[in-house]
Amino acid sequence: MTSAESADFRRRQHAEPSPALAAAEGLLLGGSSSLAACCDDDASFFPSVEPSCTQDLSRVILHVDLDCFYAQVEELLDPKLKGQPLAVTQKYLCVTSNYEARALGVGKLMSIVEAKRKAPGLVLRCGEDLTRYREFSAKAEKVLRGFGTVERLGMDEFYVDCSRLVSNRTEGEAYFHGNVLEPGAELRADTAYRPQDLRGTKAGAEETTLVGEGASDVERRLAAGTAIAADARRVLRDAHGLRASCGIAVNKLLAKLIGGVHKPDDQTVLLPARSADFIARLPVRVIKGVGAKTESRLRAIGCETCLELRMRTEREIARAVGDSAEMAAFLHACAWGIDNSPVVPKGPPKVVSVEDSFKGIALEKGVPLPPAILGRLSSHLVTRVDSDSAEHKRRPRTLTLTVRTREERSKRRFSSPYPSQAGGCIAVEEAALDLLRKAVGRSAAEVTLINIAASNFERGAPLAASGFEPRRRRTAPPSPFKSARRDQEACKRPRAEIGVIDEEVLRAMPLEIQEEYSRAFTLPAAPKKPTSSARGRGKSATGTITSFFASK
Amino acid sequence: MTSAESADFRRRQHAEPSPALAAAEGLLLGGSSSLAACCDDDASFFPSVEPSCTQDLSRVILHVDLDCFYAQVEELLDPKLKGQPLAVTQKYLCVTSNYEARALGVGKLMSIVEAKRKAPGLVLRCGEDLTRYREFSAKAEKVLRGFGTVERLGMDEFYVDCSRLVSNRTEGEAYFHGNVLEPGAELRADTAYRPQDLRGTKAGAEETTLVGEGASDVERRLAAGTAIAADARRVLRDAHGLRASCGIAVNKLLAKLIGGVHKPDDQTVLLPARSADFIARLPVRVIKGVGAKTESRLRAIGCETCLELRMRTEREIARAVGDSAEMAAFLHACAWGIDNSPVVPKGPPKVVSVEDSFKGIALEKGVPLPPAILGRLSSHLVTRVDSDSAEHKRRPRTLTLTVRTREERSKRRFSSPYPSQAGGCIAVEEAALDLLRKAVGRSAAEVTLINIAASNFERGAPLAASGFEPRRRRTAPPSPFKSARRDQEACKRPRAEIGVIDEEVLRAMPLEIQEEYSRAFTLPAAPKKPTSSARGRGKSATGTITSFFASK
DNA sequence: TGGGGTCCT
DNA sequence: AGGACCC
DNA sequence: TGGGGTCCT
DNA sequence: AGGACCC
Ligand SMILES: Nc1ccn([C@H]2C[C@H](O)[C@@H](COP(=O)(O)OP(=O)(O)OP(=O)(O)O)O2)c(=O)n1
Ligand SMILES: Nc1ccn([C@H]2C[C@H](O)[C@@H](COP(=O)(O)OP(=O)(O)OP(=O)(O)O)O2)c(=O)n1
Ligand SMILES: Nc1ccn([C@H]2C[C@H](O)[C@@H](COP(=O)(O)OP(=O)(O)OP(=O)(O)O)O2)c(=O)n1
Ligand SMILES: Nc1ccn([C@H]2C[C@H](O)[C@@H](COP(=O)(O)OP(=O)(O)OP(=O)(O)O)O2)c(=O)n1
Ligand SMILES: [Mg+2]
Ligand SMILES: [Mg+2]
Ligand SMILES: [Mg+2]
Ligand SMILES: [Mg+2]
Ligand SMILES: [Mg+2]
Ligand SMILES: [Mg+2]
Ligand SMILES: [Mg+2]
Ligand SMILES: [Mg+2]
């Protein structure tokens, strides 16, 4: 893993169980030989290496994942959509779909063409502007803060440490709410794209399960956690109409994994006695922080599942992933279901960025760079930074531009100080243009993506309301700068096409899909589909993006 | 400058003068044509480009620089040294010298051999252990905090924003305390090693200067600043015996530069009317943030002095330094003496590191790595991290090892998670050894420096008193790890040789110097001076470092 | 050419 | 992980 | 294969 | 500045 995800990971180990609770009998699991022996029945014995640290059983952690998040928000914004199969699109891609669509085979991150083949009646909604999703995400987070400390992961996932609330609920819960993972439950990994996604193969059934007389203290606390999860989900729904699925367990690793077993609009608890069994057969990839690279390195030493990982020593694992003993200890502990990392509130975002992608813009020396794209992105970024500044009393110190080219598969980044003058989007655009020149100066390549980002925020220094004021000249004489400037009007059209599907993308689509979009939005007449080589050189298409080259 | 130093620089511009004071008459300077015309008399006219931002004249900034800092501390620790010419050494180098030694030509960063040639009676003190200097530095900072907001720069420099104290001293100062920069004062750059150092050519003379009747408000505030500076220096001396020199001006740039004009144990104020004149003839290198690279880039467009920099537009400067408009604006403003960056307290250190250097250790595959060096460094680092942890309630997340090799002039760095277990210096040493293997694995080179650093601190997570407890085993069976381990005693010898000159270094010295050291410390008998090639292979010397190879 | 540090990329 | 810069 | 983010190196 | 990883 080379230590990506290790911010999280670093907090996992070595946080000893909180002393008071750890002292109580039965609270320490992991490292006991019972665990090492009980976890399978089709392999009678395997020389597992016991975990080097113990599980903290004193916490109750919720993992809340909003159901088909973007699609759900679109339904809330336009209730007519409800009941129909719906996919949210970004350029050529269905990024998610509602559960009606999923029943028809429309998966997440599926191409529009494939989705339409599977479900001809599929309704498409463009979701390239994330504003509304960010708003609903913020509402959800505020709700969850009422139940404990919250750590967000992406826009639709939240870990909630509700241990204190559990301790305060002195009248013990009589029931587990929602599903309780049964032994031997069948699980499957989701798709090739999201191998870390986990799903159960049976629909959730049980509403409540009695807490047995012999239940341990930890189990009773988890039962209280299931009641809290039910409460939290109810508030999300009643206050904002948001449906969520929830996992309840003693740590973040397990809570996230178990929550995926019953979805949508459901919840599942994992009891410690089932933890090691539960995680044993899962692919190592389900561990947060284990991605494609680490997976393949572990495969090289024969570890595809957590069970196999357990059979290796930390040294062997360290050698395989080429990393430190700390990393190896983390992986080995995870393979046992052990994760002592705390729930850490992340505070305001560390990066605010906007991006756009396209089929390819040929940037050559001497050819003017496309001002409208940077103009639109800069305008959008400045809008976001301004509201961030108002909310958090801070300003970014760094502007970063990232480009992806057709030729190279990796991205190039360049950064510079964020324009601090009251220059607004014009100053940002000029700085971004300098960065773009640097980026493409090296190799005249076809740019397929541009991202601009504000980061490295300094506190207590709100931007002087930048708005769209013209940049104050630093030098007295008329500027010798002859960049590809257009009038300032461009900056007054923030997010011009956002919410509307890109013309170029549309033209590359099958005709039926084009027609469907055309019914919803008025668009210029579509010429013949340009070949990619002709399009790249800016010589044929009259579309939004390539037109910048025709214009000079 | 590629934006190094720009954390500072970013705060310089665009901080508009504080509204209340800026509104008062006479407070805004810079950008006025009088400034652009008044600054020279041997060049009757030059087409200066006016600065694009205005000087904030509302502040009073002190720059305090402790005199011959390490040497001064050594004198305080051992008063017998006082009155004699003294140099503080690190390996082959005199890192600083007291003013008695400087009068004999012993400069800062001069080789011991050269220093001894210049001053045969020079007393040498090894200053490789910085502990005591850190302690006195902390005392000084605490004193200065009584006079305003403090920003530290290295161990012996402090910016103090005493604007508030000035405003509170309602009874106007009748005198400027210390020196007031006279028009036409001759200045010279210090040495080739420290081109940014500035010195006056005449000793300070005046004790006080009457504040004239026609003095402006800003000048009266600066006069108050000189009184505060005198107070601060008096407290430093009375409480801790520390002598300092101080510059007083309206910004950090000017305060630092003017403070160097009269040293030691003195102070100088720069009035705004003299600012542009003062800085005009100085080499661009004096600007903090302009180092060797930026200097040579600016020289390429004909800018060696600030005066020449002023004649360029920001665009021209930006092109030359290959950087953003923000950088260029910063440089151009500095060339006019304008610097609106605030004094920013930096908080606890972001990195804690220890290092050692040597003439060359050949690391080859199969040859055991030198445990004693890493052992000693790890022990020292852990001691420092432990006390940091106690003081700041935090712990490092990252361990970094840096090596310099004889072959390549640049350094290589590798990092990994900081061992978080209560493994103490043993765990740190193991992790460092892994990093060292990575570093030298690439090319079997002669290592001439090793640095290990703790960084990326997380708050609220003190290390469980690591001390020297043996590392708790993570894996049950005896460890298959066969690193070059020695007993734990090594860890009980923190900083074994610190404060004592290195044996190897000593042997490379002229005999008289060797004898001088030998008189102070007991050392093993010195064999013939080894040739550098023989020494590098670990085949000849029996010294501290190469002996690790002989031993296996 | 010591033995530290800061921040940017 | 490397670089430029600072004391 | 979108349009975002986190942290490490 | 690039990379691995996450939604
Ligand atoms: N590679 C990805 C993964 C996710 N998302 C967005 C779209 C999703 O709506 C949202 C949440 O991601 P999930 O994986 O939780 O997917 P959903 O919430 O859409 O579906 P589910 O009901 O399976 O959670 O994040 C994205 O844009 N790109
Ligand atoms: N800041 C901008 C400017 C333009 N465009 C896109 C939208 C236009 O459809 C297309 C063509 O550029 P034009 O400048 O010709 O666009 P208009 O004709 O709509 O605007 P104007 O009349 O101001 O030139 O570029 C954009 O996305 N963002
Ligand atoms: N390249 C450097 C520069 C400085 N120092 C240390 C030794 C100095 O004593 C201390 C302070 O640096 P100064 O440049 O302020 O030098 P001095 O304080 O020694 O002398 P001066 O009286 O000129 O300030 O930092 C160092 O180790 N290496
Ligand atoms: N952690 C260590 C161990 C040793 N050394 C140095 C000091 C010794 O002078 C030299 C030789 O190594 P030895 O192990 O032979 O040192 P000693 O003989 O002093 O210690 P011991 O008797 O424990 O081996 O290495 C060191 O700097 N740091
Ligand atoms: Mg999700
Ligand atoms: Mg979801
Ligand atoms: Mg994973
Ligand atoms: Mg100094
Ligand atoms: Mg000094
Ligand atoms: Mg400089
Ligand atoms: Mg670094
Ligand atoms: Mg980055």
Side-chain angles (χ1 to χ4, degrees):
Chain A
M1 79 165 21
T2 79
S3 177
E5 283 310 304
S6 52
D8 202 51
F9 127 67
R10 281 201 184 91
R11 282 170 257 261
R12 284 178 200 255
Q13 313 314 321
H14 324 307
E16 300 300 331
S18 82
L21 279 163
E25 62 181 314
L27 276 190
L28 290 179
L29 201 81
S32 74
S33 59
S34 69
L35 240 190
C38 79
C39 58
D40 209 13
D41 33 10
D42 56 3
S44 55
F45 179 76
F46 30 84
S48 296
V49 178
E50 292 187 16
S52 64
C53 57
T54 59
Q55 180 97 279
D56 177 2
L57 292 169
S58 66
R59 298 181 299 161
V60 176
I61 308 294
L62 272 31
H63 176 266
V64 178
D65 187 318
L66 272 6
D67 297 322
C68 55
F69 182 50
Y70 292 0
Q72 187 183 179
V73 170
E74 294 299 336
E75 291 179 6
L76 289 168
L77 293 174
D78 185 358
K80 291 191 307 290
L81 294 171
K82 282 174 67 170
Q84 305 174 58
L86 171 69
V88 175
T89 66
Q90 285 169 340
K91 301 295 188 313
Y92 304 91
L93 211 64
C94 291
V95 59
T96 194
S97 54
N98 64 9
Y99 278 76
E100 286 86 339
R102 290 189 201 186
L104 301 174
V106 177
K108 295 189 277 191
L109 304 178
M110 180 179 277
S111 88
I112 293 179
V113 171
E114 191 185 348
K116 271 295 200 177
R117 207 163 44 218
K118 298 223 180 202
L122 186 67
V123 177
L124 302 179
R125 218 40 164 199
C126 180
E128 288 165 20
D129 182 358
L130 308 187
T131 306
R132 298 318 200 96
Y133 313 140
R134 275 193 202 96
E135 289 166 4
F136 275 91
S137 178
K139 289 179 211 241
E141 187 173 359
K142 269 162 208 152
V143 166
L144 295 175
R145 280 207 207 103
F147 297 89
T149 300
V150 176
E151 175 180 337
R152 65 154 59 226
L153 181 61
M155 265 195 261
D156 90 322
E157 293 185 25
F158 308 91
Y159 294 103
V160 185
D161 185 334
C162 59
S163 307
R164 273 229 306 232
L165 232 192
V166 165
S167 299
N168 293 343
R169 294 201 179 184
T170 45
E171 4 65 73
E173 266 295 320
Y175 297 96
F176 289 104
H177 295 247
N179 305 282
V180 181
L181 185 82
E182 335 91 275
E186 252 182 80
L187 303 172
R188 57 178 176 78
D190 203 48
T191 70
Y193 285 119
R194 303 284 309 273
Q196 67 272 43
D197 274 12
L198 204 67
R199 291 294 184 266
T201 51
K202 297 193 306 181
E206 325 213 36
E207 295 275 289
T208 58
T209 306
L210 252 174
V211 174
E213 301 252 321
S216 70
D217 185 40
V218 175
E219 287 167 346
R220 289 174 199 279
R221 289 171 57 81
L222 286 168
T226 65
I228 291 166
D231 287 348
R233 293 201 298 121
R234 195 175 310 114
V235 177
L236 285 172
R237 176 160 31 86
D238 294 347
H240 304 298
L242 285 168
R243 317 280 158 152
S245 298
C246 186
I248 303 97
V250 296
N251 63 222
K252 295 200 292 181
L253 206 219
L254 266 9
K256 180 164 160 62
L257 291 175
I258 199 65
V261 172
H262 295 286
K263 255 193 159 266
D265 197 27
D266 206 346
Q267 63 182 66
T268 314
V269 65
L270 178 64
L271 302 183
R274 303 262 164 258
S275 299
D277 244 25
F278 167 67
I279 206 167
R281 290 176 195 78
L282 300 183
V284 294
R285 185 69 183 268
V286 302
I287 298 170
K288 183 168 165 281
V290 175
K293 296 269 178 183
T294 307
E295 180 185 36
S296 93
R297 284 176 189 147
L298 290 174
R299 190 166 37 232
I301 58 163
C303 296
E304 301 206 347
T305 66
C306 289
L307 187 53
E308 287 157 345
L309 238 199
R310 285 185 202 168
M311 297 163 66
R312 302 311 182 122
T313 63
E314 292 178 19
R315 280 259 141 224
E316 291 170 317
I317 297 168
R319 197 168 332 267
V321 304
D323 244 325
S324 74
E326 308 299 302
M327 301 291 176
F330 156 69
L331 293 175
H332 192 258
C334 283
W336 283 103
I338 295 172
D339 169 18
N340 292 332
S341 66
V343 172
V344 178
K346 293 298 190 205
K350 294 170 179 61
V351 179
V352 171
S353 81
V354 298
E355 71 187 48
D356 201 1
S357 63
F358 6 84
K359 271 297 134 181
I361 301 181
L363 297 175
E364 295 170 58
K365 283 131 199 159
V367 175
L369 296 165
I373 293 170
L374 285 186
R376 190 167 14 93
L377 290 175
S378 301
S379 165
H380 191 181
L381 183 65
V382 165
T383 300
R384 289 238 273 142
V385 166
D386 280 354
S387 74
D388 178 278
S389 183
E391 184 177 354
H392 301 296
K393 311 297 175 209
R394 60 179 192 168
R395 73 166 125 176
R397 278 190 277 248
T398 304
L399 177 71
T400 302
L401 178 135
T402 304
V403 299
R404 190 228 286 147
T405 60
R406 179 172 307 288
E407 292 76 17
E408 313 160 53
R409 284 311 304 155
S410 65
K411 295 172 179 181
R412 293 168 180 221
R413 291 205 273 252
F414 292 88
S415 61
S416 69
Y418 192 95
S420 39
Q421 198 80 293
C425 79
I426 298 285
V428 168
E429 189 187 347
E430 278 178 18
L433 192 55
D434 285 343
L435 294 171
L436 183 58
R437 282 198 198 94
K438 267 204 228 185
V440 301
R442 300 189 183 178
S443 68
E446 265 186 82
V447 173
T448 58
L449 176 141
I450 297 180
N451 176 294
I452 58 177
S455 65
N456 194 11
F457 290 89
E458 73 178 309
R459 280 237 29 150
L463 280 161
S466 58
F468 296 102
E469 303 161 32
R471 181 177 184 181
R472 186 148 52 88
R473 285 283 151 218
R474 295 169 186 286
T475 49
S479 165
F481 177 44
K482 300 256 190 293
S483 83
R485 283 249 54 79
R486 77 255 154 293
D487 61 51
Q488 285 182 218
E489 289 304 295
C491 259
K492 293 187 176 164
R493 285 180 290 178
R495 296 175 278 124
E497 281 72 43
I498 280 170
V500 181
I501 196 165
D502 196 274
E503 194 187 321
E504 181 197 34
V505 170
L506 188 67
R507 290 198 179 128
M509 295 281 191
L511 275 183
E512 328 81 74
I513 299 179
Q514 287 195 35
E515 281 157 19
E516 209 178 307
Y517 271 111
S518 298
R519 262 174 267 129
F521 314 106
T522 309
L523 278 169
K528 293 176 202 320
K529 226 171 20 166
T531 69
S532 100
S533 68
R535 199 199 303 123
R537 296 292 119 186
K539 283 174 189 157
S540 77
T542 58
T544 301
I545 289 160
T546 49
S547 68
F548 304 129
F549 299 98
S551 78
K552 212 241 129 112
Chain B
M1 83 167 18
T2 79
S3 175
E5 285 309 303
S6 52
D8 202 50
F9 128 66
R10 281 203 183 92
R11 281 170 259 259
R12 285 177 200 256
Q13 314 313 322
H14 324 305
E16 300 299 331
S18 83
L21 279 164
E25 61 182 316
L27 277 189
L28 289 180
L29 199 83
S32 75
S33 57
S34 68
L35 242 188
C38 77
C39 58
D40 210 13
D41 34 8
D42 55 4
S44 56
F45 180 76
F46 30 83
S48 296
V49 179
E50 293 186 14
S52 64
C53 58
T54 58
Q55 179 96 280
D56 178 2
L57 292 169
S58 66
R59 297 181 299 162
V60 176
I61 308 295
L62 271 33
H63 177 265
V64 178
D65 187 317
L66 272 5
D67 297 323
C68 56
F69 181 50
Y70 293 180
Q72 188 183 177
V73 171
E74 294 300 336
E75 291 180 6
L76 290 168
L77 292 174
D78 185 358
K80 291 192 305 294
L81 295 170
K82 280 175 69 168
Q84 307 174 58
L86 170 70
V88 175
T89 65
Q90 285 170 339
K91 302 295 186 313
Y92 304 90
L93 211 64
C94 292
V95 58
T96 194
S97 53
N98 65 8
Y99 278 78
E100 286 87 339
R102 291 191 203 186
L104 301 174
V106 177
K108 295 189 278 191
L109 304 180
M110 181 179 275
S111 88
I112 293 180
V113 171
E114 190 184 348
K116 271 293 196 179
R117 206 162 45 219
K118 298 221 181 205
L122 186 67
V123 177
L124 302 179
R125 217 38 163 204
C126 181
E128 289 165 19
D129 181 359
L130 308 186
T131 307
R132 298 317 201 96
Y133 313 139
R134 273 190 205 97
E135 289 165 5
F136 276 90
S137 178
K139 290 179 211 246
E141 187 173 358
K142 268 161 208 150
V143 166
L144 296 175
R145 280 207 207 105
F147 297 88
T149 300
V150 175
E151 176 178 338
R152 66 154 59 225
L153 181 59
M155 264 195 259
D156 89 322
E157 294 185 26
F158 307 91
Y159 295 103
V160 184
D161 185 335
C162 59
S163 307
R164 272 227 307 231
L165 231 192
V166 164
S167 299
N168 293 342
R169 296 201 176 182
T170 45
E171 5 65 72
E173 265 296 319
Y175 296 95
F176 290 104
H177 295 247
N179 305 282
V180 180
L181 186 81
E182 335 90 275
E186 252 182 83
L187 303 171
R188 57 178 176 78
D190 203 49
T191 70
Y193 285 122
R194 304 280 312 271
Q196 66 272 40
D197 272 13
L198 202 67
R199 290 294 184 268
T201 52
K202 297 194 305 182
E206 327 213 33
E207 294 275 290
T208 58
T209 306
L210 250 175
V211 174
E213 300 253 322
S216 71
D217 185 40
V218 175
E219 289 168 345
R220 290 174 198 280
R221 289 171 57 82
L222 286 168
T226 64
I228 292 166
D231 287 348
R233 294 202 297 122
R234 195 175 310 114
V235 177
L236 286 172
R237 175 160 33 86
D238 294 346
H240 304 298
L242 286 167
R243 318 278 157 152
S245 297
C246 185
I248 304 99
V250 297
N251 63 222
K252 294 200 292 181
L253 206 217
L254 266 10
K256 179 163 160 63
L257 291 176
I258 199 64
V261 172
H262 295 286
K263 256 194 158 262
D265 197 26
D266 205 345
Q267 63 180 65
T268 314
V269 65
L270 179 63
L271 302 183
R274 303 263 163 257
S275 300
D277 244 25
F278 168 65
I279 206 168
R281 289 175 195 79
L282 301 183
V284 296
R285 185 68 184 270
V286 303
I287 298 170
K288 183 168 165 280
V290 175
K293 295 270 177 184
T294 306
E295 180 185 37
S296 95
R297 284 176 190 149
L298 290 175
R299 190 166 35 234
I301 58 163
C303 295
E304 302 206 346
T305 67
C306 288
L307 188 54
E308 288 158 344
L309 238 199
R310 286 185 202 169
M311 297 163 66
R312 301 313 182 123
T313 63
E314 293 178 19
R315 282 261 139 220
E316 292 170 317
I317 297 168
R319 198 168 333 268
V321 304
D323 243 327
S324 74
E326 307 300 300
M327 301 291 174
F330 155 70
L331 292 175
H332 192 259
C334 284
W336 283 103
I338 295 170
D339 170 18
N340 292 330
S341 67
V343 172
V344 178
K346 295 297 191 207
K350 293 170 179 63
V351 178
V352 170
S353 80
V354 299
E355 70 186 47
D356 200 1
S357 63
F358 5 84
K359 272 297 134 184
I361 301 181
L363 298 175
E364 295 171 58
K365 284 130 201 160
V367 174
L369 296 165
I373 294 170
L374 286 186
R376 190 165 16 92
L377 290 175
S378 301
S379 165
H380 191 182
L381 183 66
V382 165
T383 301
R384 289 238 276 141
V385 165
D386 280 352
S387 75
D388 178 279
S389 181
E391 183 178 354
H392 301 295
K393 310 299 175 207
R394 61 179 191 167
R395 74 164 125 176
R397 278 190 278 247
T398 304
L399 177 72
T400 302
L401 178 136
T402 303
V403 299
R404 190 228 284 146
T405 60
R406 178 172 306 289
E407 291 76 19
E408 314 160 51
R409 285 311 303 156
S410 65
K411 295 172 179 181
R412 294 168 179 221
R413 291 207 273 251
F414 292 88
S415 61
S416 68
Y418 192 95
S420 38
Q421 199 81 293
C425 79
I426 297 285
V428 168
E429 188 188 349
E430 278 178 19
L433 191 55
D434 284 343
L435 294 171
L436 182 58
R437 282 199 197 95
K438 266 204 227 186
V440 302
R442 300 190 184 178
S443 66
E446 264 187 84
V447 173
T448 57
L449 176 143
I450 298 181
N451 176 295
I452 59 176
S455 65
N456 193 12
F457 290 88
E458 73 178 309
R459 279 238 29 150
L463 280 161
S466 57
F468 297 101
E469 302 160 34
R471 180 176 184 182
R472 185 146 54 88
R473 285 283 152 217
R474 296 170 185 287
T475 49
S479 166
F481 177 44
K482 298 257 190 293
S483 81
R485 283 249 53 79
R486 79 254 154 294
D487 62 50
Q488 282 180 220
E489 290 306 295
C491 260
K492 290 187 178 164
R493 284 180 288 177
R495 297 174 277 123
E497 279 73 42
I498 279 172
V500 182
I501 196 164
D502 197 276
E503 195 186 321
E504 180 198 33
V505 169
L506 189 66
R507 291 196 179 133
M509 295 280 191
L511 275 181
E512 327 83 75
I513 300 180
Q514 287 193 35
E515 280 157 19
E516 209 180 309
Y517 271 110
S518 298
R519 260 174 268 127
F521 314 106
T522 309
L523 279 168
K528 294 178 202 313
K529 221 170 27 162
T531 68
S532 103
S533 69
R535 199 198 304 124
R537 296 291 121 186
K539 283 173 187 157
S540 75
T542 58
T544 301
I545 288 161
T546 50
S547 68
F548 304 130
F549 298 99
S551 77
K552 214 240 132 101

